[in-house]
Coordinates of all heavy atoms in Angstrom, one line a residue:
E20 N 126.7 41.1 144.9 CA 126.6 42.2 145.8 C 128.1 42.6 146.2 O 128.4 43.8 146.2 CB 125.8 41.8 147.0 CG 125.6 43.0 148.0 CD 124.7 42.7 149.1 OE1 124.6 41.5 149.5 OE2 124.1 43.6 149.6
L21 N 128.9 41.6 146.5 CA 130.3 42.0 146.9 C 131.1 42.6 145.7 O 131.8 43.5 145.9 CB 131.0 40.8 147.4 CG 130.5 40.2 148.7 CD1 131.3 38.9 149.0 CD2 130.6 41.1 149.9
D22 N 130.8 42.1 144.5 CA 131.6 42.6 143.4 C 131.2 44.1 143.1 O 132.0 44.8 142.6 CB 131.3 41.8 142.1 CG 132.0 40.5 142.1 OD1 132.9 40.3 143.0 OD2 131.7 39.6 141.3
S23 N 130.0 44.5 143.4 CA 129.6 45.8 143.0 C 130.3 46.9 143.8 O 130.5 48.0 143.3 CB 128.1 46.0 143.3 OG 127.8 45.9 144.7
E24 N 130.9 46.5 144.9 CA 131.6 47.5 145.7 C 133.0 47.9 145.1 O 133.4 49.0 145.2 CB 131.9 46.9 147.1 CG 130.6 46.8 148.0 CD 130.9 46.2 149.3 OE1 132.1 46.1 149.7 OE2 130.0 45.7 149.9
D25 N 133.6 46.9 144.4 CA 134.8 47.2 143.7 C 134.7 47.4 142.2 O 135.2 48.3 141.6 CB 135.8 46.1 144.0 CG 136.2 46.0 145.4 OD1 136.3 47.0 146.1 OD2 136.5 44.9 145.9
H26 N 134.0 46.4 141.6 CA 133.9 46.4 140.1 C 133.0 47.5 139.6 O 133.3 48.0 138.5 CB 133.4 45.0 139.6 CG 134.4 44.0 139.9 ND1 134.2 43.0 140.8 CD2 135.7 43.8 139.5 CE1 135.2 42.2 140.9 NE2 136.2 42.6 140.1
G27 N 131.9 47.8 140.2 CA 131.0 48.9 139.8 C 131.7 50.2 139.6 O 131.7 50.8 138.4
P28 N 132.4 50.7 140.6 CA 133.1 52.0 140.4 C 134.3 51.9 139.4 O 134.5 52.9 138.7 CB 133.6 52.3 141.8 CG 132.7 51.6 142.7 CD 132.3 50.3 142.0
A29 N 134.9 50.8 139.4 CA 136.0 50.6 138.5 C 135.6 50.7 137.0 O 136.2 51.4 136.2 CB 136.8 49.3 138.7
I30 N 134.5 50.0 136.7 CA 134.0 50.0 135.3 C 133.5 51.4 134.9 O 133.6 51.8 133.8 CB 133.0 48.9 135.0 CG1 132.7 48.8 133.5 CG2 131.6 49.2 135.7 CD1 133.9 48.3 132.7
K31 N 132.9 52.1 135.9 CA 132.5 53.5 135.6 C 133.6 54.4 135.2 O 133.5 55.2 134.3 CB 131.7 54.0 136.8 CG 130.3 53.4 137.0 CD 129.6 54.0 138.2 CE 128.3 53.3 138.4 NZ 127.6 53.8 139.5
K32 N 134.7 54.2 135.9 CA 135.9 55.0 135.6 C 136.5 54.6 134.2 O 136.9 55.5 133.5 CB 137.0 54.8 136.7 CG 136.8 55.4 138.0 CD 137.9 55.2 139.0 CE 137.6 55.8 140.3 NZ 138.7 55.5 141.3
I33 N 136.5 53.4 133.9 CA 136.9 52.9 132.6 C 136.0 53.5 131.5 O 136.5 54.0 130.5 CB 137.0 51.4 132.5 CG1 138.1 50.9 133.4 CG2 137.2 50.9 131.1 CD1 138.1 49.4 133.6
I34 N 134.7 53.4 131.7 CA 133.8 53.9 130.7 C 134.0 55.4 130.5 O 134.1 55.9 129.4 CB 132.3 53.6 131.1 CG1 132.1 52.1 131.0 CG2 131.4 54.4 130.2 CD1 130.8 51.7 131.6
D35 N 134.1 56.1 131.6 CA 134.3 57.6 131.5 C 135.6 57.9 130.8 O 135.6 58.9 130.0 CB 134.3 58.2 132.9 CG 132.9 58.3 133.5 OD1 131.9 58.1 132.8 OD2 132.8 58.5 134.7
S36 N 136.7 57.2 131.1 CA 138.0 57.6 130.5 C 138.1 57.1 129.1 O 138.7 57.8 128.2 CB 139.1 57.0 131.3 OG 139.1 55.6 131.2
E37 N 137.5 56.0 128.7 CA 137.6 55.5 127.3 C 136.5 55.9 126.4 O 136.7 56.1 125.2 CB 137.7 53.9 127.4 CG 138.9 53.4 128.1 CD 140.2 53.8 127.5 OE1 140.3 53.8 126.2 OE2 141.1 54.1 128.2
I38 N 135.3 56.1 126.9 CA 134.1 56.4 126.1 C 133.7 57.8 126.3 O 133.3 58.4 125.3 CB 133.0 55.4 126.4 CG1 133.5 53.9 126.0 CG2 131.7 55.7 125.7 CD1 132.5 52.9 126.4
G39 N 133.7 58.3 127.5 CA 133.2 59.6 127.8 C 131.7 59.7 127.5 O 131.0 58.9 127.8
H40 N 131.4 60.8 126.7 CA 130.0 61.0 126.4 C 129.7 60.8 124.9 O 128.8 61.4 124.3 CB 129.5 62.4 126.8 CG 129.6 62.5 128.3 ND1 128.7 61.9 129.2 CD2 130.5 63.2 129.1 CE1 129.1 62.2 130.4 NE2 130.1 63.0 130.4
D41 N 130.6 60.0 124.2 CA 130.5 59.8 122.8 C 129.4 58.7 122.5 O 129.6 57.6 122.9 CB 131.8 59.3 122.2 CG 131.8 59.1 120.7 OD1 130.7 58.9 120.1 OD2 132.9 59.2 120.1
P42 N 128.3 59.1 122.0 CA 127.2 58.2 121.8 C 127.5 57.0 120.9 O 127.1 55.9 121.2 CB 126.1 59.0 121.1 CG 126.4 60.4 121.4 CD 127.9 60.5 121.5
S43 N 128.3 57.1 119.9 CA 128.6 56.0 119.1 C 129.5 55.0 119.8 O 129.4 53.8 119.6 CB 129.3 56.4 117.7 OG 130.6 57.0 117.9
K44 N 130.5 55.5 120.6 CA 131.4 54.6 121.4 C 130.5 53.9 122.4 O 130.8 52.7 122.7 CB 132.5 55.4 122.0 CG 133.6 55.8 121.0 CD 134.7 56.5 121.8 CE 135.8 57.0 120.8 NZ 136.9 57.6 121.6
L45 N 129.6 54.6 123.0 CA 128.7 54.0 124.1 C 127.9 52.9 123.5 O 127.7 51.8 124.0 CB 127.9 55.1 124.7 CG 127.1 54.6 126.0 CD1 128.1 54.2 127.1 CD2 126.3 55.8 126.5
Q46 N 127.4 53.1 122.3 CA 126.6 52.1 121.6 C 127.4 50.9 121.3 O 127.0 49.8 121.5 CB 126.0 52.7 120.3 CG 125.1 51.6 119.6 CD 124.5 52.2 118.3 OE1 124.8 53.3 117.9 NE2 123.6 51.4 117.7
D47 N 128.6 51.1 120.8 CA 129.6 50.0 120.5 C 129.9 49.2 121.8 O 129.9 48.0 121.8 CB 130.9 50.5 119.9 CG 130.7 51.0 118.5 OD1 129.7 50.7 117.9 OD2 131.6 51.7 118.0
F48 N 130.0 49.9 122.9 CA 130.3 49.3 124.2 C 129.1 48.4 124.6 O 129.4 47.2 125.0 CB 130.5 50.4 125.2 CG 130.6 49.9 126.6 CD1 131.8 49.4 127.1 CD2 129.5 50.0 127.5 CE1 131.8 48.9 128.4 CE2 129.6 49.6 128.8 CZ 130.8 49.0 129.3
F49 N 127.9 48.9 124.5 CA 126.8 48.1 124.8 C 126.6 46.9 123.9 O 126.2 45.8 124.3 CB 125.5 48.9 125.0 CG 125.5 49.7 126.2 CD1 125.5 51.1 126.2 CD2 125.5 49.1 127.5 CE1 125.5 51.9 127.3 CE2 125.5 49.9 128.6 CZ 125.5 51.2 128.6
L50 N 126.8 47.1 122.6 CA 126.6 46.0 121.6 C 127.7 44.9 121.9 O 127.4 43.8 121.8 CB 126.8 46.6 120.2 CG 125.6 47.4 119.7 CD1 125.9 48.0 118.3 CD2 124.3 46.6 119.6
A51 N 128.9 45.3 122.2 CA 129.9 44.4 122.5 C 129.6 43.6 123.8 O 129.8 42.4 123.9 CB 131.3 45.1 122.7
G52 N 129.0 44.3 124.8 CA 128.6 43.6 126.0 C 127.5 42.6 125.7 O 127.5 41.5 126.2
A53 N 126.5 43.0 124.9 CA 125.4 42.1 124.6 C 125.9 40.9 123.8 O 125.5 39.7 124.0 CB 124.3 42.8 123.8
D54 N 126.9 41.1 122.9 CA 127.5 40.0 122.1 C 128.2 39.1 123.0 O 128.1 37.8 122.9 CB 128.4 40.6 121.1 CG 129.0 39.5 120.2 OD1 128.2 38.7 119.6 OD2 130.2 39.4 120.1
A55 N 128.9 39.6 124.0 CA 129.7 38.7 125.0 C 128.7 37.9 125.8 O 129.0 36.7 126.0 CB 130.5 39.6 125.9
I56 N 127.6 38.4 126.2 CA 126.6 37.7 126.9 C 126.0 36.6 126.0 O 125.8 35.4 126.5 CB 125.5 38.6 127.5 CG1 126.1 39.5 128.5 CG2 124.3 37.8 128.0 CD1 125.2 40.6 129.0
E57 N 125.6 36.9 124.8 CA 125.1 35.9 123.9 C 126.1 34.8 123.7 O 125.7 33.6 123.6 CB 124.7 36.5 122.6 CG 123.5 37.4 122.6 CD 123.2 38.1 121.3 OE1 123.8 37.8 120.3 OE2 122.3 39.0 121.4
R58 N 127.4 35.1 123.5 CA 128.4 34.1 123.3 C 128.5 33.2 124.5 O 128.8 32.0 124.4 CB 129.7 34.7 122.9 CG 129.7 35.3 121.5 CD 130.9 36.0 121.2 NE 130.8 36.7 119.9 CZ 131.4 36.2 118.8 NH1 132.0 35.1 118.8 NH2 131.2 36.9 117.7
R59 N 128.5 33.8 125.7 CA 128.6 33.0 126.9 C 127.4 32.1 127.1 O 127.5 30.9 127.5 CB 128.6 33.9 128.1 CG 128.8 33.2 129.4 CD 129.2 34.1 130.6 NE 130.5 34.6 130.3 CZ 131.1 35.5 131.1 NH1 130.5 36.1 132.1 NH2 132.3 36.0 130.8
I60 N 126.2 32.5 126.7 CA 125.0 31.6 126.7 C 125.2 30.5 125.7 O 124.9 29.3 126.1 CB 123.7 32.4 126.4 CG1 123.4 33.4 127.5 CG2 122.6 31.5 126.1 CD1 122.3 34.4 127.2
Y61 N 125.7 30.8 124.5 CA 126.0 29.8 123.5 C 127.0 28.7 124.1 O 126.8 27.5 123.9 CB 126.5 30.4 122.3 CG 126.8 29.4 121.2 CD1 125.8 28.9 120.4 CD2 128.1 29.1 120.8 CE1 126.0 28.0 119.4 CE2 128.4 28.2 119.8 CZ 127.3 27.7 119.1 OH 127.6 26.8 118.1
L62 N 128.0 29.2 124.8 CA 129.0 28.3 125.4 C 128.4 27.4 126.4 O 128.6 26.2 126.3 CB 130.1 29.2 126.0 CG 131.1 28.4 126.9 CD1 132.0 27.5 126.1 CD2 131.9 29.3 127.8
W63 N 127.6 28.0 127.3 CA 127.0 27.1 128.4 C 126.0 26.2 127.8 O 125.8 25.1 128.3 CB 126.5 28.0 129.5 CG 127.6 28.6 130.3 CD1 128.0 29.9 130.4 CD2 128.5 27.9 131.2 NE1 129.1 30.0 131.2 CE2 129.4 28.8 131.7 CE3 128.6 26.5 131.5 CZ2 130.4 28.4 132.6 CZ3 129.6 26.2 132.4 CH2 130.5 27.1 132.9
D64 N 125.2 26.6 126.8 CA 124.2 25.8 126.2 C 124.9 24.6 125.5 O 124.5 23.4 125.6 CB 123.4 26.5 125.2 CG 122.3 27.4 125.8 OD1 122.1 27.3 127.1 OD2 121.7 28.2 125.1
G65 N 126.0 24.9 124.9 CA 126.8 23.8 124.2 C 127.4 22.8 125.2 O 127.4 21.6 125.0
L66 N 127.9 23.4 126.3 CA 128.5 22.5 127.4 C 127.4 21.6 128.0 O 127.5 20.4 128.2 CB 129.1 23.3 128.4 CG 129.7 22.6 129.6 CD1 130.8 21.6 129.2 CD2 130.2 23.5 130.7
Y67 N 126.2 22.2 128.2 CA 125.1 21.5 128.8 C 124.7 20.4 127.8 O 124.4 19.2 128.3 CB 123.9 22.4 129.0 CG 122.7 21.8 129.5 CD1 122.6 21.3 130.8 CD2 121.6 21.6 128.7 CE1 121.4 20.7 131.3 CE2 120.4 21.0 129.1 CZ 120.4 20.5 130.4 OH 119.2 19.9 130.9
A68 N 124.6 20.6 126.5 CA 124.2 19.6 125.5 C 125.2 18.5 125.5 O 124.8 17.3 125.5 CB 124.1 20.2 124.1
Q69 N 126.5 18.8 125.6 CA 127.5 17.8 125.7 C 127.4 16.9 126.9 O 127.5 15.7 126.9 CB 128.9 18.4 125.6 CG 129.3 19.0 124.3 CD 129.4 18.0 123.2 OE1 130.0 16.9 123.4 NE2 128.9 18.3 122.0
L70 N 127.2 17.5 128.0 CA 127.0 16.8 129.3 C 125.8 15.9 129.3 O 125.8 14.8 129.8 CB 126.9 17.7 130.5 CG 128.2 18.5 130.8 CD1 128.0 19.5 131.9 CD2 129.3 17.5 131.2
R71 N 124.7 16.4 128.6 CA 123.5 15.6 128.5 C 123.7 14.3 127.7 O 123.1 13.3 128.0 CB 122.4 16.4 127.9 CG 121.9 17.6 128.7 CD 121.0 17.2 129.8 NE 119.8 16.6 129.3 CZ 118.8 16.0 130.0 NH1 119.0 15.9 131.3 NH2 117.8 15.5 129.5
E72 N 124.6 14.4 126.7 CA 124.9 13.2 125.9 C 125.7 12.2 126.7 O 125.6 11.0 126.5 CB 125.7 13.6 124.7 CG 124.9 14.4 123.6 CD 125.7 14.8 122.4 OE1 126.9 14.3 122.3 OE2 125.3 15.6 121.6
I73 N 126.5 12.7 127.6 CA 127.4 11.8 128.4 C 126.5 11.1 129.5 O 126.7 9.9 129.8 CB 128.5 12.5 129.1 CG1 129.5 13.1 128.0 CG2 129.3 11.7 130.1 CD1 130.5 14.0 128.5
V74 N 125.6 11.8 130.1 CA 124.9 11.3 131.2 C 123.7 10.4 130.8 O 123.1 10.2 130.1 CB 124.4 12.4 132.1 CG1 123.5 11.9 133.2 CG2 125.5 13.2 132.7

C-alpha cells in the first residue's frame, strides 16, 4: 500500500515515456514482467528446497 503512492505513478510515467501506445512494446513489457516473476518464483523455490535439505 505504501509503495503504490510513489512507485505506481513513477512506473506509469516510465511506461508512457518509453512504451507509449505501441502495442508490440507493451506486449514485450508484460512478457518481460511475467518472465521476471517466473524467475523469482524459481529462485525462491530453489532456495526453499536447499533450506529443506539443511533442516
